[in-house]
Amino acid sequence: MGLTKSSMGNTLLNSNIKFNKNQNGFTIALAGNPNVGKSTIFNSLTGLHQHTGNWPGKTVSNATGHCSYKNTDFLLVDIPGTYSILSDSQEEEIARDYICFGNPDATVVVVDSTCLERNLNLVFQIMEITDNVIVCVNLLDEAKKKHIKIDLNLLSELLGVPVVGTIARKKKSLNNLLDTIYKVCNKDIIPKPKKVRYLPIIENKIDLLNSKLKELFNISPNLHRWISLKLLDDEQTIIKSIESHLNINLSNNVSINNIKSDIEEEFSHIDITKSNFKDIITSSIMQRAEQICDDVCTFENSNYSNRDRKIDKILTSKTFGIPIMILFLGIIFWITIVGANYPSQMLFSFFGFIQEHLLSFANYINCPPWLSDMLILGVFRTLTWIISVMLPPMAIFFPLFTFLEDLGYLPRIAFNMDGFFKKCCCSGKQMITMCMGFGCNAAGVVGCRIISSPRERLMAILTNSFVPCNGRFPFLITIATIFIAGSYTGFTGSIISTIAVLFVIILGIFMTLIISKILSKTILKGIPSSFVLELPPYRKPQFGKILVRSIFDRTLFVLGRAICVAAPAGLVIWIFANIGINGESLLNIIANFLNPFASLMGLDGYILTAFIFGIPANEIVLPIILMCYLGNGSLVSLDDTFAIGNILVQNGWTILTAINVMIFTCLHFPCTTTLLTIKKETGKWKWTFLSFIIPTICGIILCMFTTFVYNIFV
Amino acid sequence: MNTKITTLNKLPVNETGFIYDIQCSENVKRRLLDLGIVKNTCIKTILKSPSNGLKAFSIRGSLIAIRDEDSSSIKIYIK
Ligand SMILES: Nc1nc2c(ncn2[C@@H]2O[C@H](COP(=O)(O)OP(=O)(O)OP(=O)(O)O)[C@@H](O)[C@H]2O)c(=O)[nH]1
Ligand SMILES: [Mg+2]
């Protein structure tokens, strides 16, 4: 789950590293099918922490990092996974452009040893573009478990390029890879790819076009064969990017067009048409791949995926599939709620204690009261409240969620839910992007690149903020714990809070479906497009790594963000609360202004004000609400979370207020970072505006509805 | 030999067939080719989604989910 500094927030906005070239060393591209362990290899070699996860499409933009070996510097480029370079979804286009035009010194094609045949398809396609290919046969441990043996030397001989076997999770196994990379870059090993030979007639035409290209353009001879093949295929999108990247004009070239129409004419007599050309090419490649696999692989046990199949039968069964999904989510929430409660209390008391002392210390050194108030009651208090509320739930929720992710469960969720999404004319992959939204909506929006249809991708982007992100989720938990569970404590209380949170999340999913349906009937008209998703094998999560990384990343992240956002926000709020006209604070003026509208929604003016102030970062909503209330009341410090409950009740909160706050937390405008990311991903302010207005209207209507119903019955 | 031609969506769970012809739209077809689904590829239905409308197939050692709309335009033969 994407939640480090580099994978979310503002850094997402300028993360389009395209064609970096290493000035004083070598550039190495890591390509391959999705989910074969490219990012894992990248991390091991560079010591960086690119996110890895057991589902196809985890990496959606290029990442770079350095590593050195024998005093040589290597710039590694981790590219999104791709099944072929004739790709159509956006993250695959990024991959294709880098592989085709990034011009690295060597391209490492990582392949999955448990399904070599399919992976060789990409290997052959890449070998058409560049000679400097190294094949890295990864996941050898899984192959061993499945009793698949691969003769790497023979494979290398048959492909004509160096082949290295690795287990990416074991760093030691990568030494060999580095060594091979080093040798290829220094020309100690010169790969001589044995390309697939297509039908003689096609080869003949490729040669014909080759010589024409040589005559016409001054481009690297390596590319001739590939461009000829694309010309024969008449693949417009690729031809366009060839033209723009190599700065040549193919489609308007008279002599090429003449040759092309002659060939077309000739092909039509032997039943090679535009529509079956790709089949013919791919069939040749796959035939070669089958032959090679027959030679190099030995399957000692043909029922090797039985265990996975048994688990799948249960997790996707007609009766239990969806209940199990909700149960998993519920269990995660429950553990989070129970586990976060106590540390939260401790943090509250601890910071309260420090605050007391800071105040008396300020007093002692004769600090002017306005300054100490501003710094301690404004900045320090907001900061520490956020940390107390946010940190414990996050430190528990994310490792648990990452655990499910590493297990390989996310694509199963998409598989289970796709039927519903199809009815709403969108893609089941949207479910995966929603799961990423739990971490950060901005990351979720970027993750929508895995959806290939532009229309469905837009729908996923517009509805992503229906999932509460890490800034809002702890707030939900707090309200559920201190308010909904209310007088119930212990086990019953935690179950009640879990159900409340679960209910809000399911409401969010439900709203996503409804809004998608409405969008697809109005501004984003269209029929559901295709959905092809690979369900990866279940993998044992790396417990230690998950724990260390999520807690470490998360803690640092939350603290960092709290300092960056909450501290200034605390200052601003404090100023608003303490500066005013005619003795009434600005905050009060705004809140009073909003109050009539807010009460229609079953909220109050302060709550609405807090949400508006929370646009830069949703984390600060609760502290602002509390600060508003405290500004009016007599309490100064909070000893624990229950004190929060008391303040809320004193300020007129009822069960309705709590429910509506939870609903509105889930359904309201996304934060600025998300909005900017949406602008960047969609390129239009129109969509950004819609993504702001849609959830807000939903939230307002829903809150008004619950208030209406509540007022009838109570 | 007795062969029967049908479409992929009609292949029952745990039964095996072989691809005969892919008649999907251009985009889908390309995606299927990318996955190594060409003529004569062996394919086996493994799972049905609880929300209906898609199935997962075992193809060349991996598990691929395809919607019924698409699999109904893939012709297969069963030996
Ligand atoms: N058992 C085992 N698991 C591995 C190995 N290499 C990677 N994995 C796991 O495979 C999963 C996918 O790894 P990633 O590195 O995210 O794959 P990727 O190729 O970057 O995937 P995309 O970014 O989606 O293209 C992760 O859960 C890894 O922990 C390996 O050699 N053995
Ligand atoms: Mg990756």
Side-chain angles (χ1 to χ4, degrees), chain A residues 621-643:
Chain A
V621 172
L622 182 63
I624 299 177
I625 295 179
L626 290 175
M627 190 113 64
C628 296
Y629 290 155
L630 289 181
N632 301 337
S634 52
L635 255 170
V636 186
S637 88
L638 291 173
D639 298 329
D640 56 31
T641 35
F642 287 99

Side-chain angles (χ1 to χ4, degrees), chain A residues 308-491:
Chain A
D308 276 18
R309 292 297 106 89
K310 273 186 201 135
I311 302 176
D312 268 336
K313 285 270 182 275
I314 301 169
L315 292 185
T316 66
S317 86
K318 183 111 193 138
T319 18
F320 300 117
I322 292 174
I324 287 180
M325 208 177 76
I326 296 175
L327 187 73
F328 273 161
L329 210 59
I331 292 176
I332 291 189
F333 290 159
W334 183 75
I335 298 179
T336 311
I337 288 170
V338 173
N341 199 4
Y342 191 62
S344 252
Q345 309 277 8
M346 296 230 311
L347 284 173
F348 260 112
S349 329
F350 172 71
F351 287 129
F353 172 80
I354 302 234
Q355 184 182 316
E356 289 292 303
H357 285 266
L358 277 178
L359 279 174
S360 42
F361 177 73
N363 208 353
Y364 173 74
I365 57 166
N366 284 327
C367 173
W370 67 268
L371 184 66
S372 66
D373 264 19
M374 187 167 80
L375 290 181
I376 298 170
L377 296 185
V379 178
F380 179 81
R381 194 163 63 171
T382 316
L383 192 80
T384 55
W385 278 350
I386 289 180
I387 295 174
S388 324
V389 173
M390 310 271 307
L391 200 56
M394 308 252 292
I396 300 172
F397 177 74
F398 288 103
L400 290 174
F401 204 87
T402 317
F403 172 78
L404 275 193
E405 184 184 346
D406 270 17
L407 207 59
Y409 187 56
L410 257 44
R412 267 82 185 176
I413 297 184
F415 179 73
N416 281 344
M417 298 289 291
D418 182 68
F420 304 125
F421 282 89
K422 190 170 77 180
K423 287 204 186 79
C424 301
C425 303
C426 49
S427 163
K429 286 186 196 166
Q430 194 166 337
M431 202 64 216
I432 297 185
T433 64
M434 287 162 73
C435 289
M436 292 173 75
F438 270 122
C440 163
N441 290 130
V445 166
V446 177
C448 291
R449 289 180 187 171
I450 59 169
I451 300 173
S452 51
S453 142
R455 188 184 65 86
E456 289 170 5
R457 186 166 154 242
L458 259 178
M459 297 215 275
I461 290 179
L462 291 185
T463 53
N464 194 272
S465 63
F466 285 127
V467 195
C469 66
N470 74 76
R472 299 183 270 161
F473 182 68
F475 184 30
L476 285 179
I477 289 194
T478 314
I479 304 280
T481 316
I482 59 179
F483 224 91
I484 309 278
S487 50
Y488 296 96
T489 46
F491 185 72

Side-chain angles (χ1 to χ4, degrees), chain B residues 21-40:
Chain B
D21 191 16
I22 303 175
Q23 297 168 327
C24 308
S25 69
E26 203 51 35
N27 272 337
V28 185
K29 186 168 164 181
R30 188 164 62 198
R31 170 71 3 139
L32 296 174
L33 289 178
D34 289 351
L35 293 167
I37 305 179
V38 292
K39 202 170 169 167
N40 297 329

Side-chain angles (χ1 to χ4, degrees), chain A residues 84 92 117 313 416 533 535, chain B residues 31 34 46 51 60 63 65:
Chain A
S84 90
E92 290 192 307
E117 218 169 80
K313 285 270 182 275
N416 281 344
L533 177 71
L535 306 179
Chain B
R31 170 71 3 139
D34 289 351
I46 303 287
S51 59
R60 296 188 191 274
L63 192 59

Side-chain angles (χ1 to χ4, degrees), chain A residues 32-41 51-60 78-82 110 138-142 145 166-170 405-406 539-540 542:
Chain A
N33 280 185
N35 208 32
V36 292
K38 296 176 297 298
S39 302
T40 314
I41 293 182
H51 281 278
T52 62
N54 189 10
W55 48 280
K58 178 83 224 195
T59 311
V60 290
D78 181 24
I79 33 192
T82 174
V110 185
N138 192 30
L139 295 152
L140 280 179
D141 54 336
E142 279 188 8
K145 256 192 221 137
T166 57
I167 300 169
R169 285 181 176 181
K170 298 207 177 98
E405 184 184 346
D406 270 17
R539 289 188 176 132
K540 202 172 104 216
Q542 297 169 288

